[in-house]
Amino acid sequence: MSDEHAGDIRVTEHPDRGRFEVTVDGRPAGFAAYERHRGRVDLTHTEVDSAYQGRGVAGRLAAGALDRLRAEGAQVTPSCPYIAEYIRRHQEYLDLVDEDHRDEVTAAS
């Protein structure tokens, strides 16, 4: 991608790697790792390159992953502290959290 598209943030799933990846202007910027367990997806770790921190990339990554998981009807276990906090701050994703972990997400940080 050219520089005239600065700020183009895309989230794609890579099942072979067990993660959602985020790119900024076509460059790898981070990922959210997951493990699948019979209709439930455990989001285990989120990482964004320090060069992209503070630019909303992690939030876009979280939203992109959660939106895709919603579209496939999966339940989510937010083992990753960042994803749990993101859901806590964006309650529209709370319905995705499996019942066994919903209280952990809604508890005060």
Side-chain angles (χ1 to χ4, degrees):
M1 284 182 197
S2 68
D3 290 333
E4 67 191 51
H5 296 293
D8 181 31
I9 299 172
R10 296 179 189 258
V11 177
T12 55
E13 184 175 8
H14 295 271
D16 56 319
R17 297 180 190 161
R19 62 194 204 172
F20 291 92
E21 296 179 0
V22 63
T23 58
V24 177
D25 300 328
R27 295 181 182 94
F31 65 90
Y34 65 80
E35 296 174 3
R36 289 188 176 270
H37 307 279
R38 288 170 289 184
R40 184 176 56 82
V41 179
D42 187 354
L43 293 163
T44 59
H45 180 71
T46 302
E47 192 171 306
V48 172
D49 188 287
S50 61
Y52 298 100
Q53 291 180 357
R55 296 173 52 186
V57 174
R60 293 280 297 276
L61 172 57
L66 293 168
D67 288 342
R68 283 186 170 85
L69 294 170
R70 179 187 303 284
E72 72 179 55
Q75 288 285 289
V76 172
T77 300
S79 296
C80 169
Y82 179 82
I83 297 292
E85 181 62 24
Y86 185 86
I87 294 170
R88 187 175 296 116
R89 292 181 185 203
H90 298 88
Q91 294 284 305
E92 65 270 24
Y93 293 109
L94 187 59
D95 64 306
L96 294 177
V97 178
D98 65 273
E99 289 293 327
D100 293 339
H101 296 90
R102 196 165 291 170
D103 287 343
E104 295 171 20
V105 172
T106 58
S109 31

